[in-house]
Amino acid sequence: MDHTVKIKDKVFERLLDASQIEKQIERVACELDAAYANVSQPVVMVVTLSGAMAFAWELSKRISFPVEWVFIKCSSYGSEMQSCGEVALSVVGRCELEGRDVLVIEDIVDSGNTWVSLHNHFMTLLPRTLRIATLSIKREVYDKALQIDFVALELENRFVVGYGLDYDGGGRNLNGIYEFKGV
Ligand code: IMP
Ligand code: MG
């Protein structure tokens, strides 16, 4: 069976299918259940748009503590397959985070610039706790000191799409993770 897809000008090949991804999401859900077992208020999940929506939903279905969702748009300036240092943040709607348990939900941690920006921004809002759960990380690229608390998938340093991740706006709804093969 052919597990390649073409998105715009580029060809991607399947690396992980949905069941492989969801097994790891299940594990992260168990870790979160242990970490947030005794919360007295709902945990605020800050979902980074647009890539983390699929992960946020798959995770939310599997946890047993209450959550509220807040959305934030993070845009890093750069070419379509490479981010650069500056990250612009814009929160959708109102969000009061003082004294709350805040859990940022990310699709992928690459350089970590986005997580550093989010962390610095949310710390000024005085949360009780601030952590991150990410669908995936490119561990060999990540070079920041901040801890990455919960990780579903460890990936090689290759460009990937699917399960929320996009290439130039495309490929987010692929029910698996696909890696770049060529043009
Ligand atoms: P960072 O700020 O370098 O950690 O990059 C994080 C953001 O870059 C992610 O939230 C994605 O939006 C994007 N990104 C990084 N690597 C990939 C990839 O392989 N595929 C799709 N998007 C990616
Ligand atoms: Mg993102």
Side-chain angles (χ1 to χ4, degrees):
M1 203 168 148
D2 183 17
H3 293 305
T4 62
V5 290
K6 188 156 192 192
I7 301 167
K8 305 205 172 169
D9 56 326
K10 298 192 167 51
V11 176
F12 294 81
E13 187 172 68
R14 196 170 73 190
L15 180 66
L16 297 164
D17 66 22
S19 69
Q20 292 170 302
I21 298 167
E22 282 154 24
K23 197 171 150 207
Q24 297 309 317
I25 296 178
E26 194 77 51
R27 173 185 51 76
V28 172
C30 292
E31 293 172 15
L32 292 174
D33 275 347
Y36 295 105
N38 299 313
V39 288
S40 55
Q41 281 191 87
V43 170
V44 183
M45 278 191 168
V46 177
V47 183
T48 61
L49 295 175
S50 303
M53 285 196 50
F55 178 47
W57 171 236
E58 293 300 330
L59 203 53
S60 296
K61 286 192 282 189
R62 292 170 169 85
I63 55 178
S64 43
F65 54 90
V67 294
E68 290 170 4
W69 282 20
V70 166
F71 296 94
I72 189 163
K73 183 85 199 154
C74 311
S75 317
S76 59
Y77 302 102
S79 71
E80 279 134 15
M81 288 176 59
Q82 191 108 52
S83 75
C84 69
E86 253 174 88
V87 182
L89 303 178
S90 106
V91 180
V92 181
R94 252 171 66 84
C95 86
E96 288 282 342
L97 299 183
E98 190 170 344
R100 303 295 298 272
D101 292 295
V102 175
L103 179 65
V104 169
I105 307 292
E106 257 289 25
D107 51 2
I108 192 162
V109 173
D110 187 25
S111 67
N113 290 329
T114 306
W115 170 225
V116 169
S117 301
L118 287 166
H119 184 273
N120 293 345
H121 171 69
F122 288 128
M123 283 310 280
T124 67
L125 305 178
L126 307 175
R128 194 178 83 88
T129 61
L130 175 62
R131 287 188 270 206
I132 181 171
T134 184
L135 174 65
S136 61
I137 184 168
K138 294 180 190 169
R139 190 75 70 178
E140 70 184 78
V141 185
Y142 184 66
D143 61 357
K144 306 298 186 289
L146 284 177
Q147 191 173 327
I148 306 297
D149 304 282
F150 304 97
V151 176
L153 305 165
E154 303 269 346
L155 300 179
E156 303 282 315
N157 183 18
R158 301 207 190 96
F159 192 82
V160 289
V161 294
Y163 225 86
L165 292 151
D166 74 305
Y167 161 59
D168 196 19
R172 291 195 198 277
N173 63 328
L174 290 168
N175 195 23
I177 290 185
Y178 290 69
E179 70 178 13
F180 175 64
K181 274 293 148 195
V183 286

